[in-house]
Amino acid sequence: MNIEIIPVTAFQQNCSIIWDDEKNAAIIDPGGEAEKLIKRIEELGLNLKLILLTHGHLDHISAAEKLKNHFNVEIWGSHEADRYWFEGLPQQAERFGMLFETNAFLPDRWLNEEGEIIKVGDFNFEVLHLPGHTPGHIGFIEHNKNIAFTGDVLFQNSIGRTDFPGGDHQTLLNSIKEKLYPLPDEMIIIAGHGNYTTIGKEKKSNPFLQGM
């Protein structure tokens, strides 16, 4: 698997471009700076197949429609429980002045089925519903490549915020314990912000998760 992680906007949100040896590509959580992302995809000569979203927060989705229109591809995700976040995009954007300019939109397809496999090139992503940060938050788990894109659920030595509308601290902890902890310790976690980590490292050292 080829991966390039591009932090975008002042939120330094990790936008992930992934592609196989045949240049079949997906982009996960294009949170802003669409022109930079388009330029990089074209520089790499990739055949973008799909835009995948973990949840409906502005800093993870604000470039999605521009990429969709430029590359003529669909947007899939998150779970439909995040519909209100997508419909409220203009209100989200107002809070940050000119940092974001986006209209409300809905994905071409909600990913509501737990365990569904999304195929992109030679990748097979299992969809896991990981509520807590938002009600409709999902993750994309590539078991064969031993890597998981989990948005704002589990970070290096931290966890996602739960003080937004629809967030719930205990639900987030349950998502980590019941959905992520069963993954292999060596599973690489690409979080929505900050450095990558592994399941094993977080079990040992994450101060928010001790005792789980």
Side-chain angles (χ1 to χ4, degrees):
M1 175 185 280
N2 304 286
I3 304 173
E4 185 163 323
I5 299 172
I6 303 176
V8 293
T9 79
F11 289 91
Q12 292 293 281
Q13 183 268 320
N14 288 331
C15 173
S16 298
I17 303 172
I18 58 171
W19 67 97
D20 64 16
D21 292 339
E22 302 300 319
K23 301 284 190 175
N24 299 301
I27 189 167
I28 301 174
D29 285 0
E33 301 185 65
E35 292 76 15
K36 177 166 73 173
L37 299 177
I38 290 169
K39 179 181 178 182
R40 187 57 182 149
I41 291 168
E42 293 179 340
E43 285 175 346
L44 292 167
L46 303 180
N47 181 14
L48 189 68
K49 298 287 190 179
L50 201 57
I51 299 166
L52 298 172
L53 305 178
T54 61
H55 63 291
H57 282 167
L58 181 72
D59 59 321
H60 286 252
I61 68 174
S62 68
E65 272 217 306
K66 288 185 179 179
L67 268 69
K68 171 185 174 174
N69 294 333
H70 184 88
F71 292 106
N72 193 30
V73 296
E74 291 191 344
I75 301 170
W76 288 12
S78 57
H79 186 288
E80 193 171 5
D82 271 6
R83 174 186 284 267
Y84 69 101
W85 282 111
F86 287 84
E87 293 176 338
L89 275 170
Q91 290 72 37
Q92 290 190 61
E94 283 178 7
R95 296 179 55 194
F96 302 103
M98 296 300 292
L99 181 59
F100 296 98
E101 293 182 23
T102 186
N103 297 315
F105 72 92
L106 295 177
D108 295 289
R109 183 182 170 202
W110 299 108
L111 296 177
N112 295 333
E113 184 180 345
E114 179 85 352
E116 178 179 357
I117 302 299
I118 306 298
K119 296 181 179 293
V120 181
D122 70 356
F123 308 133
N124 295 282
F125 294 105
E126 181 187 8
V127 175
L128 291 185
H129 187 203
L130 302 170
H133 181 65
T134 69
H137 198 300
I138 61 175
F140 301 99
I141 318 301
E142 222 302 353
H143 294 277
N144 294 326
K145 311 294 185 183
N146 207 41
I147 192 165
F149 300 86
T150 57
D152 289 358
V153 176
L154 180 63
F155 299 107
Q156 184 182 68
N157 293 320
S158 190
I159 59 175
R161 291 176 59 176
T162 56
D163 56 339
F164 298 113
D168 183 81
H169 181 73
Q170 189 58 52
T171 299
L172 181 76
L173 294 179
N174 290 343
S175 290
I176 295 170
K177 180 180 180 180
E178 297 169 7
K179 303 289 184 68
L180 296 184
Y181 265 22
L183 297 173
D185 282 355
E186 61 272 18
M187 179 70 70
I188 297 168
I189 300 295
I190 305 297
H193 305 264
N195 296 329
Y196 72 88
T197 187
T198 67
I199 291 293
K201 288 179 180 177
E202 297 315 304
K203 285 180 178 178
K204 291 178 180 178
S205 64
N206 193 311
F208 294 91
L209 305 176
Q210 299 309 301
M212 281 178 50

